[in-house]
Amino acid sequence: MEHLKNGMPVLSASEFYEREHSRLDLPAKFQGQLGTKNQDWKDFLFDRFGGQPWSPLKTVVLDPSIAVYESSTSNKKDNLKQGKSPVDFQQGGLQNKPVIHYPSCHGPNGDQGIYRYLGQIANSVLFADKQREVQFKRFWRDHIHYPRVVFEAASHMIAKMGLFAYSAVHIRRNDLQYKEVFQNAKATLRNIDQLLYPGETLYVATDETNDGFFDALREKHTVYQWKDVVREAQNVQYSDKVINIIEQTICAGGRRFFGTQKSTFTSYIFRMRGYIGAPDTNEYWHNIQYTGMKSVDLYAQPKVTGNNYMMEDPSMWEDLVDDGSHQ
């Protein structure tokens, strides 16, 4: 949170209440009862301040305004606007409102409605000025990241295998709703084998509970999993809540990384790899068979669109390579 505050002013819900309850006439009954599970508080905020129905899958913010962006010729990305309605902060008197409210998952459609703020951050805002775009992407890299303990715990496993001296695979099987991406370990090995070194060490991040499921990988590779991290990072004090993101960080440290299609857990690993300058930042999935021929495998790389939040836009890190702001 401190790094976020270094990038922009931030208030907690309780700080907002204490500072603004008199000016905004916030009811005393909500004092100390501002948690996200308090539906009465959430309903009050929506009734009082309304909400911005700016789902990133349905709208795109144009900066600094719709008019300026549309008249620009230097940094337009019309392909990322397709199927979206343009919006800006000049419309509807937004700049004069005391509160601009984004009520996540509000309404009868819940998380499928117009108040679901799920999307690819690289195309949620399009900028007329390239430098503004770079500044925006730099903010996400430098001020929104995992806590120090995550990197500390992950570093022990990475040190054992060697930074960029292993490859990593994320194989999600149990709680992913897209069952069509499931496959057995033999199929995974067949798909990624041509992009691995013979006998290369693998780290496998997975929710598969059957220990023998990955025997096909172990026949050709040394395979490490979470149980090995527990041993290597035994002197690091971390919460169970960060286990998954520790594994993300370990995957980011691989020479190559193969994710699970349609997984946002996979997607952020791609971005982390871009941020740290991994030797191969292509986006690979263990569900796709690769040939080892660059000219052929290139066709399996994703095409960036404005409506697919399950893939990373490489501009999130490529635009920052030469900006000189982060070492």
Side-chain angles (χ1 to χ4, degrees), residues 48 59 63 88 95 160 228 248 260 266 272 309 326:
R48 174 66 64 84
T59 62
D63 179 88
D88 65 23
Q95 292 184 331
K160 179 177 179 61
D228 301 296
Q248 278 187 309
T260 294
T266 276
M272 293 176 73
Y309 62 88
H326 185 73

Side-chain angles (χ1 to χ4, degrees), residues 116 170 180 295:
R116 190 186 192 194
H170 169 227
E180 68 272 15
S295 60

Side-chain angles (χ1 to χ4, degrees), residues 99-114:
V99 174
I100 300 177
H101 183 218
Y102 296 86
S104 181
C105 299
H106 175 85
N109 292 325
D111 64 3
Q112 300 302 318
I114 59 177

Side-chain angles (χ1 to χ4, degrees), residues 225-295:
Q225 292 181 248
W226 174 251
K227 61 184 179 181
D228 301 296
V229 183
V230 173
R231 181 178 61 253
E232 294 299 322
Q234 59 184 300
N235 294 323
V236 181
Q237 300 297 314
Y238 55 84
S239 165
D240 287 347
K241 293 181 179 180
V242 301
I243 288 175
N244 289 341
I245 58 180
I246 292 173
E247 289 206 281
Q248 278 187 309
T249 306
I250 295 170
C251 289
R255 179 183 68 88
R256 279 187 169 136
F257 167 66
F258 304 87
T260 294
Q261 286 178 303
K262 300 184 178 181
S263 165
T264 52
F265 182 94
T266 276
S267 182
Y268 189 64
I269 295 171
F270 290 138
R271 193 194 308 177
M272 293 176 73
R273 291 175 58 74
Y275 285 161
I276 68 174
D280 187 347
T281 56
N282 284 317
E283 298 181 32
Y284 301 113
W285 293 274
H286 78 96
N287 321 86
I288 294 177
Q289 186 170 6
Y290 298 97
T291 67
M293 296 181 286
K294 290 183 179 180
S295 60

Side-chain angles (χ1 to χ4, degrees), residues 158-168 197 199-202 253-256 279:
I158 293 173
K160 179 177 179 61
M161 297 183 292
L163 180 63
F164 304 144
Y166 60 96
S167 283
Y197 292 148
E200 183 173 15
T201 296
L202 297 180
R255 179 183 68 88
R256 279 187 169 136

Side-chain angles (χ1 to χ4, degrees), residues 282-322:
N282 284 317
E283 298 181 32
Y284 301 113
W285 293 274
H286 78 96
N287 321 86
I288 294 177
Q289 186 170 6
Y290 298 97
T291 67
M293 296 181 286
K294 290 183 179 180
S295 60
V296 175
D297 293 338
L298 182 64
Y299 287 99
Q301 288 300 296
K303 294 182 179 180
V304 176
T305 71
N307 294 308
N308 194 333
Y309 62 88
M310 300 173 184
M311 298 183 299
E312 279 298 321
D313 184 339
S315 71
M316 285 296 292
W317 58 88
E318 291 176 353
D319 280 353
L320 304 178
V321 169
D322 299 319

